[in-house]
Amino acid sequence: MTVIVTGGAGFIGSNFIFYMLKKHPDYRIVCLDKLTYAGNLSTLKSVMDNPNFRFVKLDICDRAGVYALFEEEKPDMVVNFAAESHVDRSIEDPGVFLQTNVIGTGVMLDAARKYGVKRYHQVSTDEVYGDLPLDRPDLFFTEETPIHTSSPYSSSKAGADLLVMAYYRTFGLPVTISRCSNNYGPYHFPEKLIPLMIANCLNDKPLPVYGEGLNVRDWLYVEDHCKAIDLILHKGRVGEVYNVGGHNEMKNIDIVKLICHELGKSEDLITHVTDRKGHDMRYAIDPTKIHNELGWLPETTFKDGIKKTIKWYLENRDWWEEIISGEYQNYYDKMYSNR
Ligand code: NAD
Ligand code: TDX
């Protein structure tokens, strides 16, 4: 079995590659990644010498390059993680989100169709459903919830999902889609809430909470997401969407306070800054379908997962310090100074 994994030098894609190489030692995993600011070859160094692993630096929008790789590798499955993934960046510069997330997905679908695959899996997000009000804790996103996006990021992901379903209906391409809630864990890029707060805490820098910090996210340990995708690939029904989430809703402010507490830092570091434009209030996944059909349940509690994650950032300072010392500093200054 040969599996092409796009975006495998990023956060979830790399964790998925580690998971798959361990779980299916007879599979060949080919990682295709453009190595944008979010992709790090150093993340994959532990698997670079694995004979069942190959890394190819390639843009999913490069049609000729993608076709040549499919011709050569003849993949059985494709898992498309590659995307521009940060909501704040999509508010600053939407264009690249449309290019990679929509056009790039179109190229991957064409390649999957042209060369024939047993499964094309699209890694989508709960953000395609928009948000839920804080005063209705009884409401959850199901697979039937209408698409109702807020940001250029979520709109581009929704566009990709619609294209994937069109290739199923029109061409019979064997597709599946997963829509997961917020992930956290090792190799999470430090622009995102949890790793940003850990890094700033460790450097005694202000902790920039958008608005009052009352927005709610439904956090899932990254390995539980990887397990869900593996299950969907092997047992999921073609043409179906599966929501993935672990009923772990938390307010941003509570997460930041917890990180301060775990690292023995003062909550005085917390600084409330101007809110994100169009900021979604609450995400909450109903995972009944994947539980009933595929038996998936999250295995790592938030209590354990956040401890493991903080420990990982403490033990892997080189990984994130290298990132935040480079070009990232310009991004940080642009987004956070005078905010
Ligand atoms: P990430 O930003 O950490 O990694 C993205 C990877 O894609 C990087 O390695 C980058 O180099 C690569 N990439 C970007 N553009 C590319 C292109 N044009 N061609 C080839 N490679 C390209 O993202 P992540 O957090 O790991 O998210 C992975 C996927 O999961 C995304 O599709 C995202 O929408 C989805 N998702 C993320 C979360 C989350 O909480 N992080 C939750 C649900 C869904
Ligand atoms: O500095 C910050 N301060 C802050 O208060 C940052 C970076 C974020 N926040 C808030 C905004 C959100 O309410 O924290 C919450 C989480 O923010 P992000 O980490 O940027 O994640 P989110 O916007 O929820 O999107 C994430 O989950 C869904 C991923 O980045 C997406 O790729 C995924 O699809």
Side-chain angles (χ1 to χ4, degrees):
M1 191 70 78
T2 296
V3 186
I4 288 191
V5 176
T6 72
F11 166 44
I12 311 176
S14 60
N15 278 283
F16 181 72
I17 288 170
F18 304 147
Y19 180 79
M20 292 295 279
L21 285 170
K22 216 182 268 169
K23 175 88 192 295
H24 305 285
D26 52 333
Y27 282 20
R28 175 171 169 77
I29 306 288
V30 179
C31 170
L32 178 175
D33 198 298
K34 183 183 177 183
L35 297 180
T36 66
Y37 79 92
N40 260 290
L41 218 40
S42 73
T43 300
L44 293 170
K45 72 169 181 284
S46 66
V47 294
M48 276 301 184
D49 293 334
N50 186 322
N52 288 342
F53 178 73
R54 177 184 177 197
F55 178 82
V56 180
K57 185 174 186 305
L58 191 61
D59 185 337
I60 59 167
C61 301
D62 174 355
R63 187 174 289 274
V66 169
Y67 284 7
L69 184 67
F70 273 65
E71 177 89 53
E72 189 187 346
E73 289 288 349
K74 305 197 170 33
D76 300 283
M77 294 181 179
V78 175
V79 185
N80 187 27
F81 287 95
E84 287 294 332
S85 69
H86 193 32
V87 173
D88 291 330
R89 290 187 192 251
S90 83
I91 295 166
E92 289 297 303
D93 181 15
V96 66
F97 284 73
L98 304 189
Q99 187 62 26
T100 287
N101 300 2
V102 183
I103 305 296
T105 296
V107 171
M108 293 307 298
L109 287 165
D110 282 338
R113 187 174 161 234
K114 182 170 160 73
Y115 293 93
V117 293
K118 295 189 186 75
R119 182 63 63 85
Y120 174 95
H121 183 76
Q122 178 73 7
V123 182
S124 184
T125 168
D126 59 358
E127 295 197 20
V128 301
Y129 298 123
D131 64 350
L132 297 163
L134 290 182
D135 62 356
R136 289 293 308 274
D138 56 313
L139 296 180
F140 295 91
F141 297 137
T142 73
E143 290 78 1
E144 274 68 51
T145 302
I147 301 280
H148 188 82
T149 56
S150 312
S151 69
Y153 162 70
S154 54
S155 305
S156 66
K157 292 295 289 183
D161 283 14
L162 295 176
L163 209 50
V164 171
M165 293 315 285
Y167 274 59
Y168 169 63
R169 168 134 181 189
T170 308
F171 305 118
L173 191 71
V175 306
T176 39
I177 295 178
S178 52
R179 294 185 180 143
C180 191
S181 59
N182 286 59
N183 286 214
Y184 68 101
Y187 300 107
H188 202 179
F189 196 83
E191 68 190 347
K192 308 284 170 50
L193 179 76
I194 289 182
L196 185 146
M197 295 300 168
I198 296 173
N200 281 17
C201 243
L202 288 171
N203 288 331
D204 294 305
K205 284 179 65 178
L207 307 176
V209 170
Y210 299 166
E212 290 181 69
L214 300 179
N215 308 64
V216 169
R217 298 292 183 265
D218 180 359
W219 295 93
L220 184 73
Y221 193 64
V222 62
E223 197 175 44
D224 280 322
H225 185 189
C226 297
K227 284 178 190 163
I229 294 172
D230 181 37
L231 268 178
I232 296 167
L233 274 180
H234 293 94
K235 299 196 178 126
R237 285 184 295 136
V238 161
E240 293 291 319
V241 172
Y242 292 91
N243 283 355
V244 184
H247 282 304
N248 182 62
E249 292 179 48
M250 293 191 62
K251 289 192 205 99
N252 294 340
I253 189 72
D254 292 339
I255 300 246
V256 178
K257 285 182 178 171
L258 180 76
I259 291 171
C260 290
H261 178 77
E262 288 289 329
L263 290 172
K265 300 286 180 172
S266 165
E267 289 180 12
D268 292 347
L269 285 174
I270 295 173
T271 316
H272 290 273
V273 299
T274 307
D275 212 348
R276 174 183 279 175
K277 291 191 183 89
H279 200 170
D280 281 338
M281 282 318 296
R282 171 176 169 247
Y283 303 143
I285 283 279
D286 175 353
T288 307
K289 179 174 173 180
I290 190 166
H291 175 61
N292 287 349
E293 281 191 21
L294 308 181
W296 178 87
L297 272 179
E299 289 168 26
T300 301
T301 61
F302 190 76
K303 196 167 158 275
D304 291 345
I306 195 73
K307 279 195 196 323
K308 272 205 269 189
T309 303
I310 290 175
K311 187 165 178 281
W312 187 89
Y313 279 86
L314 282 167
E315 288 171 355
N316 292 275
R317 279 190 93 118
D318 288 358
W319 182 84
W320 56 269
E321 276 180 345
E322 164 95 24
I323 291 170
I324 65 174
S325 64
E327 178 56 31
Y328 179 76
Q329 204 53 56
N330 297 332
Y331 164 81
Y332 196 88
D333 290 345
K334 183 174 165 211
M335 301 301 273
Y336 292 96
S337 60
N338 307 317
R339 181 164 182 156

